[in-house]
Amino acid sequence: MTDLGHVDGLLAPRSVAIIGASEDVTRIGGRPIAAMLKAGYKGDILPVNPKRDSVQGLACYASVDDLPMAPDAALIAVPAKLVPQTIEALGRKGCKAATLFSAGFAEMGAEGEAAQRELVALAGSYGMRLLGPNTLGVYNVDIGYYGSFSSSLDTGFPLAGNIGIASQSGAFGAHLGALARDRGLGSSILMTTGNEADITVADAIAWMAQNDATDVICTYMEAVNDAPALLRALDAARAAGKPVIALKSGRSVVGAAAAASHTASLTGDAVVADAVLTAHGAIIVRDPETMLDIAYVASKKIFPKQNSLGVITVSGGAGIVISDEAERIGFPMPPMPDEAQAHLNEVLPYGSPVNPLDCTAQALNDPSLLEVFTRAALQDGGYGAVLCFFTYVAGSPAMSDTIMQAMTPLRAAYPDRIIAFVALGAPEVLRSYDDQGILIFNDPCRATRAIHAICSMRDAVNVTAPDVTPLTLPDHTPDEATAKEILAQSGILSAPEQAVQSIEDAVAAADSFGYPVVMKILSPDILHKSDIGAVKLNLDDEGAVRLAYAEILGAASRHAPDAHISGILVAKQLSGGVECLMGINRDPAFGPMAVFGLGGIFVELLNDVAVRECPFDTVAAHEMISSIRGAAILKGARGQAPVDMDALAEMLSRLSIFAAGAGERLTSVDLNPVLALPQGAYALDAVIEVKEL
Amino acid sequence: MTDLGHVDGLLAPRSVAIIGASEDVTRIGGRPIAAMLKAGYKGDILPVNPKRDSVQGLACYASVDDLPMAPDAALIAVPAKLVPQTIEALGRKGCKAATLFSAGFAEMGAEGEAAQRELVALAGSYGMRLLGPNTLGVYNVDIGYYGSFSSSLDTGFPLAGNIGIASQSGAFGAHLGALARDRGLGSSILMTTGNEADITVADAIAWMAQNDATDVICTYMEAVNDAPALLRALDAARAAGKPVIALKSGRSVVGAAAAASHTASLTGDAVVADAVLTAHGAIIVRDPETMLDIAYVASKKIFPKQNSLGVITVSGGAGIVISDEAERIGFPMPPMPDEAQAHLNEVLPYGSPVNPLDCTAQALNDPSLLEVFTRAALQDGGYGAVLCFFTYVAGSPAMSDTIMQAMTPLRAAYPDRIIAFVALGAPEVLRSYDDQGILIFNDPCRATRAIHAICSMRDAVNVTAPDVTPLTLPDHTPDEATAKEILAQSGILSAPEQAVQSIEDAVAAADSFGYPVVMKILSPDILHKSDIGAVKLNLDDEGAVRLAYAEILGAASRHAPDAHISGILVAKQLSGGVECLMGINRDPAFGPMAVFGLGGIFVELLNDVAVRECPFDTVAAHEMISSIRGAAILKGARGQAPVDMDALAEMLSRLSIFAAGAGERLTSVDLNPVLALPQGAYALDAVIEVKEL
């Protein structure tokens, strides 16, 4: 288990010093003290301000040196120029965790960034960890610790609950916290990390993965500043059975530009981040409301085994709308078993017993129908989640007691299933259902989406990390033949081919493979061979091979007179099948990422690719391949034979293992095209780019 | 203007008789009376019940015949078997509008459907219009008329406001009404139409288009039961400047099946319905919450000319999230003008003056920044809508007065722009902004989507309806050559081609066009010519033409010995360009629909097509062509020359005019492929299917 002692100091301190403490409860140095006093924080609050004897009724210390103890946490609310000496003093005193509210560092440009780096080094020299700078701080609801100056607290304290929030942006995190509170959702922790000079959201997630008060983790990030730590934290949360719901922003051109000018973040490739976070079990969302919808479902700690939805309505219309939404997002709604349908038909001849189940407005006259249908969906339908569109019927004061009595035993009898109502009515009525573990939504489609996010969690493929053997790459970017040889050593197949240095050898090679053949220039200096006419296809006989040999050399000497030519590649020309592409790109945060797509418009126009962190096994490779929109073409659409998916997945997995083994010097790999045949898959071209030694 | 007198009787009656009136306020015959008494309905309430002298304190009549007047409206709450005699009696009495709460008709199968048809005929014989059967009824908030037994009223009356609701489903409509109320949104009218035996949602929309109390119309439908009336109603609403927000359900397999068993609706093709409704100005949504979000924006009656968004934040994070969402949905966020940026940079050096504009947490210390940035966005940015992420800052009791004072003059100075806050806090604080015309949302992405729906309304292309000349189709489905001749008369071009009956004529034709040519069998009995080898491509010389002639006839006689062969078509083989397809399909509700897509995988795998109601002009055709995902290919992606979009649009518009002129006997047209060249566009194949005479 990672040592997260420094986060203990930040999130659960037994004592806190406020440097720059203020009597004014609207000032940055006054707000945290006022909040902690109001919330009944049990630890020691130690104001530091050379100009005062007391602050908000507490004894005030003139300097850090004067503090009676080394505080677990320090909140630094002094101007940027005074921060270094404050950290110095805190370090000397023995404080190990400081929150830097002060702005004026990396978000201000290169100078600020340098100053920020110095702060981290200075703190590090004392074994002190820093949160911020430019952070709103943290809170820990259970212990009443409010190391934050967020004015969100002006509209009330958070409700206690099991949702933790880790946000790079302060105001955005505080907005999430306040939105949760206004919706009646309880939270445990809020940590905002600001410039992330040292501590990142990864630390917060890792800490919450171990925190008993937290069962669900919401996280917002603009940049991924410590990818390995983030992935470890996600894995720890998954191991602890705590869903992580992640909003990674900066996916648009405008958004990325805005991010760059904010908390000094470069957002990186959102597609890559989504892929990696998803592979590590995170649920990706785009907006705060959806984040809290899913967190709300997860907060009940019911994670059904079955990814299926049963729907019960008192209005056929709602059942149709929900079915439409479920199909759109891929949430299965299998029909009820025949026998159960027959039974429900007897109970209510003019309802609908299939799925959605409609007990019609008749339920108003006979509320027992609600129980009968809901029980049938749980017992006979076996759905992972049952969504009941009971609308104002459930909220009606005349009906709610009856419905509650009917549902309480069902809730107890099926503890592993989600039961949710779409219900409208007085807040206290709705809350009474929620208190019984019945989820309450007012919109059927939002409910469907949020429940699906939780029900489909277990569908995530559990991949085993394959063994990786370190490889040595050549000193320079290799030519195509060498690249293919290197890949062949990792089990990645090309078409039969031979590098030759003479016309006679070319003819001999072609004869041995059988016609037609392909011929290409071999040169590490010419990467785009087709563009200069140094690739010849459809060579059907010896004469064509001889002519091609001369033409290729001629083209090369015309277009690239200085290129080093190592020969000409003669390869058997494979045909039929489907052209794919595979490659490796290095992401600044996540390292080598494998890419898979179909050739042609699928990649170029539709951006229809799957990406995944390397290395991965064939199960993950299969999942990648099946995830692209054009996958139907591989499976034999348009009257074609299906391609050898196993061979394709094998190649993709081997490529990912190769990339992981090749290490930092591997810049990129481009296998384009890979020909996927009904039997086998072969790289027809291969480019490996390495960092030159 | 359509005569909507019958809807007046239903929605704004001066007197209402309740047939089957009940003392019990929880019964169908008791609820409407109780609601109207409580709401202070000013008209005459006339209970009818042979067993009682009074009902809920009102004089009760033994029969319809005993009523003192012909009521404007009748609410029929008697069992299905008593409905015919009730209608008969109401008809005799002179009532012209009856609402049939009673279920037990078309939703019960064929017998019920027949009974329903008889009711309509019976009512019609007295000039009476029917709402329902199987309807929850209507309400009209302004006059306190509650001709509804919806139990949604148990949780409170609707708030008065300008949002009208027309819903085929009763409970779904009532859910919308209650959801609006719970959100603090006011409504004017709710009309639920149930089985739509007579009156449809189209009548409700048309009436609300003329109703002074209604400024926005929300409509839910499963089937389109009277397409011409619906389109007239949408056009009337558009002419009246009232946005119509439409949810058409039954778009999924499960959903459509559920719809069929509910209110006896066949849902039809949702893609077609979306296209037609959109073309008539409706805003299409998938869920009730989005519907109300957009209705809320529209309820302020501000419809900006500029489809652009300016964003102001107190948190860079939120600005990035909003920018991401805006880009995803295509809501333009142009940057601020340079001069304005320079000015804002002076005011706040470390904010962001571009767009999103970030006035940072500094706004907490200096709230005047909020005003300065918002004014700049309105005045210098000129955005159609300004979305301010002020979160709990705006909701803070300490800040809200200041912010309100700053915003009031801005709200007044820019009456044609939308100003919206993302704000959290006490409901009364938020309502005070709303009362000033500032929209309040708690989620930035929902706000962005709803505002975009209204800002982009004016982007809808204003098409002129082209002139249509009625055409006479042949008695039977014509062969390809005849089909092309028929289309040529409507200005739809094919490649140069000639139908021949001999080898010599084939050679002569080929010589006159120049090689290569294509040859195909001509037979109305063989629709899939390629499949049987009766199409030959790449014929390069006379010898090839002679051989092809013999082979095609041979293939035809082998595979279709009984087919009538009218000859062989010789056509110049065009090459290059992009293969498209165009066609006409007849929709059961909306008549002939034009379809456009690209050849190959775009249609077959990606379902990437545009559809539109016929006829339409070239402006609309251009819009269709540009709307498909693959449009980039037409515009010259992948190094190709762009195709002649004008020729393509001209052909598509002409095809739509042809279809409109051809009338009911035209079953379908299939132009596949149409070759779009850098200059010109030509149908290379044409199939016209007609209803045989």
Side-chain angles (χ1 to χ4, degrees):
Chain A
M1 193 175 282
T2 320
D3 175 22
L4 292 165
H6 56 287
V7 186
D8 273 332
L10 286 168
L11 275 171
R14 288 151 304 175
S15 56
V16 55
I18 299 88
I19 325 303
S22 172
E23 183 72 15
D24 182 344
V25 300
T26 69
R27 306 279 301 179
I28 291 178
R31 283 180 174 276
I33 298 171
M36 285 188 276
L37 288 173
K38 194 166 167 194
Y41 171 61
K42 295 284 188 300
D44 295 309
I45 306 174
L46 308 166
V48 175
N49 184 334
K51 299 183 192 148
R52 302 190 63 91
D53 292 331
S54 79
V55 165
Q56 300 185 39
L58 299 168
C60 182
Y61 301 89
S63 71
V64 170
D65 292 335
D66 294 330
L67 286 171
M69 64 177 88
D72 278 358
L75 306 176
I76 302 182
V78 300
K81 64 180 191 321
L82 300 179
V83 169
Q85 67 197 64
T86 306
I87 287 179
E88 181 88 45
L90 285 165
R92 280 197 313 269
K93 193 78 191 177
C95 175
K96 299 298 180 200
T99 294
L100 264 177
F101 293 154
S102 320
F105 293 92
E107 78 280 11
M108 297 302 197
E111 206 175 318
E113 200 176 334
Q116 183 174 302
R117 268 197 306 273
E118 283 168 29
L119 291 187
V120 176
L122 177 61
S125 71
Y126 291 102
M128 186 197 307
R129 300 295 299 271
L130 291 184
L131 179 65
N134 193 18
T135 170
L136 269 188
V138 303
Y139 60 62
N140 182 333
V141 179
D142 266 3
I143 63 168
Y145 176 63
Y146 288 88
S148 169
F149 66 96
S150 172
S151 63
S152 68
L153 301 173
D154 293 359
T155 53
F157 280 111
L159 307 172
N162 62 356
I163 299 172
I165 301 169
S167 171
Q168 195 177 345
S169 160
F172 198 81
H175 177 79
L176 272 175
L179 184 58
R181 176 200 66 204
D182 287 1
R183 287 177 59 164
L185 293 180
S187 56
S188 54
I189 299 290
L190 172 71
M191 184 178 214
T192 71
T193 51
N195 286 10
E196 298 201 337
D198 179 10
I199 302 266
T200 69
V201 287
D203 296 282
I205 295 170
W207 192 86
M208 291 193 276
Q210 298 178 12
N211 172 234
D212 289 340
T214 304
D215 293 314
V216 193
I217 300 166
C218 294
T219 185
Y220 169 83
M221 63 194 89
E222 283 149 29
V224 174
N225 288 322
D226 185 349
L230 178 64
L231 301 186
R232 280 196 307 274
L234 293 178
D235 293 344
R238 178 149 65 170
K242 302 183 182 182
V244 177
I245 308 152
L247 201 174
K248 163 78 177 68
S249 73
R251 38 192 73 230
S252 60
V253 174
V254 172
S261 72
H262 175 238
T263 57
S265 297
L266 289 174
T267 52
D269 188 322
V271 175
V272 169
D274 284 357
V276 176
L277 300 186
T278 302
H280 286 265
I283 298 169
I284 304 291
V285 297
R286 281 194 322 259
D287 58 78
E289 188 166 67
T290 304
M291 174 176 272
L292 290 183
D293 284 350
I294 298 171
Y296 172 48
V297 178
S299 72
K300 302 292 183 202
K301 297 196 276 180
I302 299 173
F303 304 106
K305 288 194 192 67
Q306 307 84 344
N307 180 20
S308 62
L309 179 68
V311 174
I312 300 162
T313 67
V314 292
S315 152
I320 305 168
V321 171
I322 294 169
S323 304
D324 287 351
E325 185 67 1
E327 182 166 304
R328 188 182 74 83
I329 63 177
F331 198 174
M333 281 182 61
M336 290 283 282
D338 290 343
E339 215 169 304
Q341 288 194 32
H343 172 67
L344 291 176
N345 252 336
E346 277 168 34
V347 174
L348 183 67
Y350 296 110
S352 173
V354 187
N355 189 22
L357 293 85
D358 185 10
C359 51
T360 78
Q362 186 59 27
L364 288 160
N365 297 328
D366 179 3
S368 75
L369 288 171
L370 301 176
E371 196 271 347
V372 170
F373 275 71
T374 308
R375 180 181 296 280
L378 289 162
Q379 180 176 297
D380 306 319
Y383 304 112
V386 172
L387 176 61
C388 305
F389 182 86
F390 291 167
T391 178
Y392 44 79
V393 177
S396 153
M399 303 281 286
S400 59
D401 284 350
T402 312
I403 296 176
M404 180 74 82
Q405 276 162 30
M407 292 293 154
T408 304
L410 289 179
R411 179 63 289 176
Y414 296 95
D416 58 340
R417 319 288 188 83
I418 290 171
I419 302 177
F421 282 8
V422 176
L424 299 176
E428 60 278 12
V429 173
L430 302 182
R431 173 141 309 269
S432 68
Y433 291 116
D434 180 83
D435 288 344
Q436 296 296 314
I438 293 170
L439 293 163
I440 299 294
F441 284 90
N442 64 19
D443 183 79
C445 296
R446 258 172 78 185
T448 304
R449 293 191 293 268
I451 295 167
H452 178 243
I454 294 303
C455 283
S456 59
M457 271 173 63
R458 286 177 194 258
D459 277 1
V461 175
N462 234 328
V463 299
T464 52
D467 289 336
V468 172
T469 315
L471 303 166
T472 306
L473 291 174
D475 293 356
H476 306 286
T477 286
D479 67 23
E480 179 182 344
T482 313
K484 285 178 172 171
E485 278 164 30
I486 292 169
L487 292 167
Q489 287 164 22
S490 290
I492 295 160
L493 303 179
S494 304
E497 65 180 26
Q498 192 179 326
V500 299
Q501 270 80 24
S502 73
I503 287 195
E504 296 313 321
D505 286 352
V507 170
D511 284 343
S512 75
F513 301 146
Y515 293 91
V517 296
V518 186
M519 291 170 62
K520 312 181 199 181
I521 196 79
L522 274 179
S523 167
D525 304 321
I526 305 177
L527 291 183
H528 301 286
K529 308 170 185 90
S530 307
D531 298 354
I532 64 159
V535 177
K536 299 285 174 186
L537 307 172
N538 302 313
L539 306 173
D540 279 332
D541 53 30
E542 183 184 326
V545 168
R546 290 181 183 275
L547 182 60
Y549 194 96
E551 285 181 349
I552 289 172
L553 287 184
S557 69
R558 266 197 314 283
H559 291 96
D562 300 330
H564 171 76
I565 309 291
S566 45
I568 284 186
L569 192 69
V570 182
K572 183 166 175 61
Q573 181 167 334
L574 300 174
S575 61
V578 179
E579 286 197 355
C580 309
L581 60 85
M582 290 186 192
I584 301 291
N585 290 311
R586 182 165 292 281
D587 182 80
F590 297 107
M593 300 291 303
V595 182
F596 173 80
L598 295 186
I601 53 150
F602 279 95
V603 168
E604 290 179 35
L605 279 186
L606 303 175
N607 198 24
D608 181 25
V609 295
V611 297
R612 193 171 186 114
E613 192 192 0
C614 300
F616 48 83
D617 63 9
T618 55
V619 175
H622 268 291
E623 190 194 39
M624 271 178 85
I625 294 168
S626 299
S627 74
I628 63 170
R629 276 177 283 164
I633 289 184
L634 297 168
K635 291 171 185 163
R638 312 189 80 208
Q640 304 292 311
V643 309
D644 187 341
M645 299 288 260
D646 288 337
L648 210 50
E650 188 69 40
M651 183 187 259
L652 187 55
S653 167
R654 285 174 186 271
L655 178 64
S656 77
I657 296 168
F658 165 81
E664 292 288 330
R665 283 194 52 238
L666 182 69
T667 305
S668 69
V669 180
D670 196 7
L671 309 184
N672 185 8
V674 167
L675 195 64
L677 295 169
Q679 301 231 303
Y682 302 92
L684 302 192
D685 195 2
V687 177
I688 296 178
E689 282 190 281
V690 303
K691 270 186 212 142
E692 303 284 317
L693 269 191
Chain B
M1 194 173 285
T2 320
D3 176 20
L4 292 166
H6 56 288
V7 186
D8 272 333
L10 286 167
L11 275 171
R14 287 151 305 174
S15 55
V16 55
I18 299 89
I19 325 301
S22 173
E23 183 72 13
D24 182 344
V25 301
T26 70
R27 307 279 300 182
I28 291 178
R31 284 180 175 277
I33 299 171
M36 286 188 275
L37 288 173
K38 194 166 169 193
Y41 170 62
K42 293 284 190 300
D44 295 310
I45 306 175
L46 309 166
V48 175
N49 185 332
K51 298 181 192 151
R52 301 190 64 91
D53 292 332
S54 77
V55 165
Q56 299 185 41
L58 298 168
C60 180
Y61 301 87
S63 72
V64 170
D65 292 335
D66 294 331
L67 287 171
M69 64 177 86
D72 278 359
L75 306 176
I76 301 182
V78 300
K81 66 179 188 321
L82 300 180
V83 169
Q85 68 198 64
T86 306
I87 288 181
E88 180 86 45
L90 285 165
R92 279 198 312 267
K93 193 77 189 180
C95 174
K96 299 299 180 199
T99 295
L100 264 177
F101 293 153
S102 320
F105 293 93
E107 78 279 12
M108 298 300 198
E111 205 176 321
E113 201 178 333
Q116 183 175 303
R117 268 197 306 273
E118 282 168 29
L119 291 186
V120 176
L122 177 62
S125 71
Y126 291 102
M128 186 197 306
R129 300 295 299 268
L130 291 184
L131 179 66
N134 194 18
T135 171
L136 269 188
V138 304
Y139 61 62
N140 182 332
V141 179
D142 267 3
I143 63 169
Y145 176 64
Y146 287 89
S148 170
F149 65 97
S150 173
S151 63
S152 68
L153 302 173
D154 293 358
T155 53
F157 281 110
L159 306 172
N162 60 356
I163 299 173
I165 301 169
S167 171
Q168 195 177 344
S169 160
F172 198 81
H175 178 80
L176 272 175
L179 184 58
R181 176 201 63 205
D182 287 1
R183 288 175 59 164
L185 294 180
S187 56
S188 54
I189 299 290
L190 172 71
M191 184 179 214
T192 71
T193 52
N195 287 8
E196 299 202 338
D198 178 12
I199 301 267
T200 70
V201 288
D203 296 282
I205 295 169
W207 192 86
M208 291 193 278
Q210 299 179 10
N211 171 236
D212 289 341
T214 304
D215 292 314
V216 193
I217 300 167
C218 293
T219 185
Y220 168 83
M221 64 195 90
E222 283 150 28
V224 174
N225 287 322
D226 185 350
L230 179 63
L231 302 184
R232 280 195 307 273
L234 293 177
D235 293 344
R238 178 149 66 171
K242 301 184 183 181
V244 177
I245 308 152
L247 201 175
K248 163 78 178 69
S249 74
R251 40 192 70 233
S252 60
V253 175
V254 173
S261 74
H262 175 239
T263 58
S265 296
L266 289 172
T267 51
D269 186 325
V271 175
V272 169
D274 284 358
V276 176
L277 300 187
T278 302
H280 286 266
I283 298 169
I284 303 292
V285 298
R286 279 195 323 261
D287 58 78
E289 188 165 68
T290 304
M291 176 177 271
L292 290 183
D293 284 351
I294 298 171
Y296 172 48
V297 178
S299 73
K300 302 291 183 203
K301 297 197 278 181
I302 300 173
F303 304 106
K305 286 194 192 66
Q306 307 84 345
N307 180 20
S308 63
L309 179 69
V311 175
I312 301 161
T313 67
V314 292
S315 153
I320 304 167
V321 171
I322 294 169
S323 304
D324 287 351
E325 184 68 1
E327 183 166 303
R328 190 182 73 84
I329 63 175
F331 198 174
M333 281 182 59
M336 290 282 284
D338 289 345
E339 214 168 304
Q341 288 194 33
H343 172 68
L344 291 176
N345 251 336
E346 277 169 34
V347 175
L348 183 67
Y350 296 111
S352 173
V354 186
N355 188 21
L357 293 85
D358 186 10
C359 51
T360 78
Q362 186 59 27
L364 287 159
N365 298 328
D366 179 3
S368 75
L369 287 171
L370 301 177
E371 196 270 349
V372 170
F373 274 70
T374 308
R375 180 183 295 281
L378 289 163
Q379 181 176 298
D380 305 320
Y383 303 113
V386 173
L387 177 60
C388 305
F389 183 87
F390 290 167
T391 179
Y392 43 78
V393 177
S396 154
M399 303 283 284
S400 59
D401 284 350
T402 312
I403 295 176
M404 180 74 82
Q405 275 162 32
M407 290 295 154
T408 304
L410 289 179
R411 180 61 289 177
Y414 296 94
D416 58 339
R417 317 290 187 83
I418 290 171
I419 302 177
F421 281 8
V422 176
L424 299 175
E428 60 278 10
V429 173
L430 302 183
R431 173 142 308 269
S432 67
Y433 291 117
D434 180 83
D435 288 345
Q436 296 296 313
I438 293 171
L439 293 163
I440 298 294
F441 284 89
N442 63 20
D443 184 80
C445 296
R446 259 173 78 185
T448 304
R449 293 191 292 268
I451 295 167
H452 177 243
I454 293 302
C455 284
S456 60
M457 272 173 61
R458 285 177 194 259
D459 278 1
V461 175
N462 235 327
V463 298
T464 51
D467 290 334
V468 172
T469 314
L471 302 167
T472 305
L473 292 174
D475 294 355
H476 307 286
T477 287
D479 68 21
E480 180 181 346
T482 312
K484 285 178 172 170
E485 277 164 30
I486 292 169
L487 292 166
Q489 287 163 23
S490 290
I492 295 160
L493 302 179
S494 304
E497 66 181 23
Q498 190 179 329
V500 299
Q501 271 79 24
S502 73
I503 289 195
E504 297 313 321
D505 285 353
V507 170
D511 283 345
S512 76
F513 301 146
Y515 294 89
V517 295
V518 186
M519 290 169 63
K520 310 181 199 179
I521 197 78
L522 274 180
S523 166
D525 303 321
I526 305 177
L527 292 182
H528 301 286
K529 310 170 184 90
S530 307
D531 297 354
I532 64 159
V535 177
K536 300 286 173 184
L537 308 172
N538 301 314
L539 305 173
D540 279 331
D541 52 30
E542 184 184 324
V545 168
R546 289 179 183 276
L547 182 60
Y549 194 95
E551 285 181 348
I552 289 172
L553 287 184
S557 69
R558 265 197 315 284
H559 291 94
D562 299 330
H564 172 76
I565 309 291
S566 45
I568 285 186
L569 193 70
V570 181
K572 184 168 175 60
Q573 181 167 333
L574 300 174
S575 61
V578 179
E579 286 198 355
C580 309
L581 61 84
M582 289 185 193
I584 301 291
N585 290 312
R586 181 166 292 280
D587 182 80
F590 297 108
M593 300 291 304
V595 182
F596 174 80
L598 295 187
I601 53 150
F602 279 95
V603 168
E604 290 178 36
L605 281 185
L606 304 174
N607 197 25
D608 182 24
V609 294
V611 295
R612 193 171 186 114
E613 191 194 359
C614 300
F616 48 82
D617 63 8
T618 55
V619 175
H622 268 291
E623 190 194 37
M624 271 178 84
I625 295 168
S626 299
S627 74
I628 65 170
R629 277 177 284 165
I633 290 185
L634 297 168
K635 291 171 184 160
R638 313 190 75 210
Q640 305 293 311
V643 308
D644 187 340
M645 298 289 259
D646 288 337
L648 210 50
E650 186 70 40
M651 183 187 260
L652 187 54
S653 167
R654 284 174 187 270
L655 178 63
S656 77
I657 296 168
F658 166 79
E664 292 288 329
R665 284 192 53 236
L666 183 69
T667 305
S668 71
V669 180
D670 195 9
L671 309 185
N672 185 8
V674 165
L675 194 65
L677 295 169
Q679 301 230 303
Y682 301 92
L684 301 193
D685 194 1
V687 177
I688 297 178
E689 281 189 282
V690 303
K691 270 186 212 144
E692 302 284 316
L693 270 191

